[in-house]
Amino acid sequence: LALLALEFDWAERFLERTVERAEAAKQAANDATLLQKVLTSAFFVLAAAAAIAAVFVWDVPLLPV
């Protein structure tokens, strides 16, 4: 996107909005309480565990044969 922004105005505007949103998300993450951070981390750990369990339960192939 940064390379496209050098050539196209629409890409530059999109890149600027993306950077602004990323900065806002960073600030929101820094402002989160300890409880919010713990709950968010627990959610992602449980989601990863559920994905791993689904691979084994439903015998999902991970590599193309």
Side-chain angles (χ1 to χ4, degrees):
L1 187 57
L3 290 174
L4 288 173
L6 294 173
E7 186 68 27
F8 301 105
D9 290 336
W10 62 265
E12 184 176 357
R13 289 189 304 270
F14 187 68
L15 179 61
E16 288 172 359
R17 278 187 277 151
T18 303
V19 169
E20 289 171 2
R21 288 183 181 180
E23 289 173 357
K26 180 181 175 183
Q27 186 62 39
N30 285 337
D31 293 343
T33 65
L34 180 60
L35 178 62
Q36 289 173 321
K37 291 176 183 179
V38 168
L39 290 176
T40 301
S41 298
F43 170 78
F44 282 109
V45 168
L46 290 174
I52 292 169
V55 166
F56 287 109
V57 170
W58 293 315
D59 197 27
V60 177
L62 297 178
L63 298 174
V65 179

